[in-house]
Amino acid sequence: MIEIKNIKKTYETPSGKVEALKETSLNINKGDIYGIIGYSGAGKSTLIRCINLLEIPDGGEVIIKDVKLTSLREKELRKSREKIGMIFQHFNLMKSRTVAENIAYPLKGKGLNKKDIDTRVEELLSLVDLKDKKNSYPSQLSGGQKQRVAIARALANNPEVLLCDEATSALDPKTTKSILGLLKKINKMLNLTIVLITHEMQVIKEICNRVAVMDNGYVVEKGEITNIFSNPKENITKDFIATVLNEEKEAEIAREEDFENVYKLSYVGGKTREAIISKVSRDFQVDISILYGNIEKIQDTILGNLLVKVEGESSNTLKALEFIRKEGIKVEVIKDDRYSKLYSA
């Protein structure tokens, strides 16, 4: 659906050149909700604005549905942009126009009569649950309602792609959840491909099926959301995930001086329902104490983490850990010098 090939973008600033993107590549499938996460300055905003060529790349290609946008003339590009909607952190609504007029604005000059435009606006108001705000002005709306208007406006021309530039950053947690729920509904109902950027891993966890992690102008890690959460490779990815999975609490417990032989067990899906801990204790004659546990639902997949203390003879402990690992559970040594080389993070 969307191919980003070796995109580069450099800005000239008073203090010199800034390389915002350094040969960045991504493939986004039809119907994806694809998250791009990174800290400030990572290049994510530049990347999403290169997808519809609001920012013109210095090099590389942007291809949407086999059309190379980076090779189009201005008139052709404007036509292609009609199928790429975009919403922003601060809504960008026209203050002097009503909700209905804001939504109708992209339909002007499309050869539609007033009845057709009104019908389309009514459809969109219903979709975003704002029929009662039709004649209101942006100043009369809450932040969440403003973003719903912005979403409706972005959908006016029946786009195939919706770009979300930090669309929930200005919203409180409850409203953020509501807007993400709306985006998820739109994705399923319209089979709309959504690309969103954020600095919050909770947003990624809530809505995305795939994610790319950016740092210093590069995509450093990407993949299916469950794979990224269950087996992150890069330190920056681990840091983002820690904000969601409460790993600071794990670290605090692991630092307790009285605790030795501490391990972290990570498991996905059906393994969360199996009585593996009790089975291992019986079969290998070891005592396993659960120090901390956390279960998260990542999209439709359950991801579990346990911090455990294992006591028993050294040989039995090793056999028990091997059995757990062969059952498809990731074993990571937190505090046990005997096995740290066997089970490294």
Side-chain angles (χ1 to χ4, degrees):
M1 175 66 178
I2 302 174
E3 296 178 79
I4 301 169
K5 296 183 177 180
N6 301 318
I7 288 294
K8 295 185 289 185
K9 181 65 180 179
T10 300
Y11 295 104
E12 295 283 351
T13 71
S15 56
K17 292 184 177 181
V18 175
E19 291 183 275
L21 295 175
K22 305 167 184 176
E23 296 195 356
T24 302
S25 298
L26 284 179
N27 286 303
I28 299 169
N29 299 324
K30 175 68 175 174
D32 272 349
I33 304 182
Y34 201 108
I36 301 171
I37 191 167
Y39 295 118
S40 296
K44 58 188 186 297
S45 290
T46 300
L47 178 58
I48 201 170
R49 292 170 69 86
C50 281
I51 292 177
N52 60 0
L53 268 63
L54 287 179
E55 294 285 356
I56 305 298
D58 299 326
E61 299 175 347
V62 177
I63 303 168
I64 298 181
K65 289 192 70 177
D66 298 322
V67 176
K68 191 184 295 184
L69 267 61
T70 38
S71 297
L72 297 181
R73 295 178 180 177
E74 185 60 34
K75 184 178 179 180
E76 297 168 324
L77 179 58
R78 284 200 302 270
K79 188 69 177 175
S80 291
R81 279 187 181 138
E82 291 180 4
K83 292 302 179 182
I84 307 172
M86 191 165 189
I87 58 175
F88 304 87
Q89 178 179 358
H90 296 296
F91 323 124
N92 290 10
L93 301 179
M94 292 174 283
K95 297 178 182 179
S96 62
R97 296 176 185 256
T98 65
V99 165
E101 289 169 340
N102 267 278
I103 295 171
Y105 185 76
L107 299 172
K108 304 293 184 183
K110 303 298 180 186
L112 299 174
N113 59 41
K114 185 178 185 303
K115 182 179 178 182
D116 290 338
I117 291 175
D118 289 345
T119 298
R120 180 60 179 155
V121 169
E122 289 291 339
E123 290 173 352
L124 292 166
L125 285 167
S126 180
L127 180 63
V128 300
D129 296 322
L130 282 181
K131 293 189 75 172
D132 60 329
K133 300 295 183 182
K134 176 180 177 179
N135 296 314
S136 299
Y137 287 87
S139 61
Q140 299 171 306
L141 304 178
S142 67
Q145 290 169 336
K146 289 176 184 177
Q147 196 58 284
R148 286 173 180 268
V149 176
I151 291 169
R153 181 182 60 186
L155 297 177
N157 282 313
N158 293 302
E160 296 176 331
V161 176
L162 179 63
L163 306 179
C164 305
D165 189 356
E166 295 277 11
T168 60
S169 295
L171 305 176
D172 62 73
K174 184 178 179 180
T175 306
T176 291
K177 192 173 183 68
S178 173
I179 293 298
L180 294 179
L182 174 60
L183 291 174
K184 203 168 185 177
K185 181 180 82 169
I186 290 169
N187 167 258
K188 289 183 178 179
M189 184 182 296
L190 306 179
N191 195 27
L192 184 70
T193 304
I194 297 176
V195 184
L196 65 87
I197 64 168
T198 182
H199 59 272
E200 300 174 277
M201 202 63 177
Q202 183 65 36
V203 170
I204 300 292
K205 167 185 171 286
E206 188 76 23
I207 192 175
C208 298
N209 66 303
R210 299 175 69 206
V211 62
V213 182
M214 292 197 69
D215 187 32
N216 194 31
Y218 292 102
V219 172
V220 296
E221 191 163 1
K222 59 187 174 182
E224 298 289 334
I225 189 71
T226 51
N227 293 338
I228 294 295
F229 266 84
S230 61
N231 194 28
K233 305 296 184 185
E234 300 295 326
N235 287 334
I236 186 172
T237 309
K238 294 175 182 177
D239 289 344
F240 275 122
I241 290 173
T243 65
V244 173
L245 300 185
N246 202 16
E247 291 183 356
E248 290 182 1
K249 182 66 174 178
E250 292 181 8
E252 179 185 333
I253 293 171
R255 284 194 296 267
E256 293 287 339
E257 294 182 5
D258 294 341
F259 290 146
E260 295 293 340
N261 306 342
V262 178
Y263 307 86
K264 181 178 178 180
L265 310 182
S266 302
Y267 44 100
V268 178
K271 293 295 179 184
T272 59
R273 299 181 179 90
E274 297 180 17
I276 291 177
I277 297 299
S278 57
K279 177 177 173 56
V280 169
S281 295
R282 289 194 309 269
D283 293 354
F284 296 95
Q285 298 180 336
V286 293
D287 294 323
I288 301 180
S289 304
I290 298 175
L291 306 178
Y292 178 79
N294 184 52
I295 292 179
E296 293 283 347
K297 188 173 183 181
I298 310 298
Q299 294 297 301
D300 295 323
T301 301
I302 299 297
L303 178 65
N305 289 293
L306 284 180
L307 202 65
V308 300
K309 178 180 179 181
V310 183
E311 295 179 291
E313 292 186 9
S314 180
S315 59
N316 288 348
T317 298
L318 184 57
K319 290 175 183 177
L321 295 173
E322 277 297 299
F323 176 83
I324 291 171
R325 185 181 63 81
K326 288 178 180 178
E327 285 292 304
I329 296 173
K330 182 181 176 182
V331 179
E332 179 183 340
V333 174
I334 302 300
K335 190 184 291 186
D336 192 335
D337 293 338
R338 298 173 299 173
Y339 306 129
S340 59
K341 292 182 180 179
L342 290 175
Y343 304 101
S344 57

